[in-house]
Amino acid sequence: MRSSPITPTVDFDADGEQHGFLKLPHSHDASAWGAVMIPITVIRHGAGPTVLLTGGNHGDEYEGPIVLSELAATLRARDVRGRVIVVPFMNYPAFRAGSRTSPIDRGNLNRSFPGRADGSVTEKIADYFQRHLLPLADYVLDLHAGGRTLDFVPFAAIHVLPDAAQQARCEAAMLAFGAPYSMRMLEMDSVGLFDTAAEEAGKVFVSTELGGGGTATAASIGIARRGVHGLLAHARVLAAPAPHGAHAARRTTLLDMPDGRCYTSSEHDGLLELCKNLGDAVDCGDLIARVHDATRTGVPPIAYHAQRSGLLAARHFPGLVKMGDTIAVVADIVADSVATAPP
């Protein structure tokens, strides 16, 4: 198999705090011998587990980049047992453009795994994570939000896995994250996901959706900050108390997305009117949205009804929708409130 063209400027096996780059050669009109420089931090102290923390898998989701940049600047090797690898801007070109996909090749990094060493820029990034970073990790936390086109109740998430023991480890890590909601998540399409790559490699993997609308709030950043420290403590990588109350017990509502009826998709272009708010209880058959014809007056809106009962966990964010867009996601409430014990 071809070697990755990406070169790290950090030593993953050296103790201490290192801040560097994953350097990916990229020749383009503005720089014939240029490179995509993806920032990375490695903090290592002695023996122990490795936790890989990633943000910016999609470039218009900001809780991960904010909180992981802060962590990279403040976490000290003396406070660590093992190793923490921090990549705040995983798809760096997309992050710089403020877009879900890369402006270089329109690649969606979270649909590009396992990647290709001789592929596009996005495929080369995926290949490096697949073959070089994932093998180093015991725990992987990939921080997401809804970006510019979705909005979520803030949750940490895992997937139902064929290995019950691995799923139990993932679920324990999800609860340690301590988000207001915790989701067993059904993906519409799991092919090419970073999640799938990590899970198939046997890692403890947790993802999140912490809001949306193409911005971050003080509340969503606080959830991400406490959650990162909670997971690091759960992994026994932190050797010192974490700030921001990360070790305090919190409560989470357990949610489940068991089948495709959770999703309501638009069959029309038009102007979206949501009839329920995020976090609202929904009964099967409830009116959850209308789509208004924006090309003429005098036409009644199209009504969309919930296909199951539960909680409105996600919604389309902008006011305009197109045919095929997901309008809303209704999740089952498994347990109203579960205590997450401090590590």
Side-chain angles (χ1 to χ4, degrees), residues 13 80 100 134 149 165 182 202 207 212 295 323 341:
D13 295 322
V80 166
R100 182 175 180 85
L134 279 180
T149 65
S182 297
S207 185
T295 64
M323 182 183 297

Side-chain angles (χ1 to χ4, degrees), residues 31-188:
S31 183
W33 284 6
V36 175
M37 305 289 283
I38 303 171
I40 186 171
T41 289
V42 180
I43 301 167
R44 188 178 185 277
H45 182 205
T50 292
V51 179
L52 173 60
L53 302 172
T54 57
N57 193 327
H58 295 129
D60 60 349
E61 302 170 6
Y62 297 111
E63 286 82 359
I66 291 169
V67 168
L68 296 185
S69 294
E70 176 187 72
L71 182 76
T74 57
L75 187 61
R76 297 291 175 255
R78 64 177 178 269
D79 297 327
V80 166
R81 294 191 184 99
R83 177 171 52 187
V84 180
I85 301 172
V86 187
V87 187
F89 324 108
M90 196 176 176
N91 191 346
Y92 193 59
F95 169 76
R96 291 299 301 267
S99 59
R100 182 175 180 85
T101 62
S102 173
I104 297 173
D105 56 16
R106 306 320 311 177
N108 181 343
L109 182 57
N110 211 32
R111 295 296 185 276
S112 298
F113 284 82
R116 290 174 50 195
D118 60 351
S120 67
V121 165
T122 302
E123 289 172 326
K124 289 172 181 175
I125 295 171
D127 170 75
Y128 187 83
F129 275 80
Q130 177 89 35
R131 291 199 288 144
H132 295 274
L133 292 186
L134 279 180
L136 299 177
D138 300 292
Y139 295 81
V140 182
L141 173 63
D142 189 32
L143 292 167
H144 284 262
R148 292 187 292 177
T149 65
L150 288 169
D151 198 8
F152 292 90
V153 296
F155 63 78
I158 63 166
H159 299 102
V160 176
L161 301 174
D163 184 333
Q166 181 188 5
Q167 182 178 327
R169 293 193 297 272
C170 293
E171 189 152 340
M174 173 182 70
L175 294 176
F177 187 92
Y181 297 89
S182 297
M183 176 82 78
R184 294 191 192 98
M185 196 170 183
L186 171 70
E187 293 286 352
M188 290 191 295

Side-chain angles (χ1 to χ4, degrees), residues 248-318:
R250 292 184 293 280
R251 303 194 73 83
T252 186
T253 297
L254 296 181
L255 303 175
D256 190 14
M257 291 167 55
D259 59 46
R261 293 179 302 138
C262 297
Y263 292 93
T264 299
S265 297
S266 180
E267 297 179 1
H268 306 84
D269 294 354
L271 176 64
L272 177 65
E273 175 195 355
L274 262 294
C275 302
K276 295 284 187 179
N277 293 315
L278 280 178
D280 279 356
V282 174
D283 290 326
C284 184
D286 277 359
L287 177 67
I288 54 174
R290 298 185 183 97
V291 174
H292 298 262
D293 190 329
T295 64
R296 57 182 51 81
T297 59
V299 178
I302 305 298
Y304 287 87
H305 298 269
Q307 302 174 69
R308 66 182 311 115
S309 299
L311 175 139
L312 187 65
R315 56 152 293 180
H316 186 78
F317 184 75

Side-chain angles (χ1 to χ4, degrees), residues 2-14:
R2 181 172 177 172
S3 298
S4 172
I6 293 179
T7 303
T9 67
V10 293
D11 181 350
F12 293 104
D13 295 322

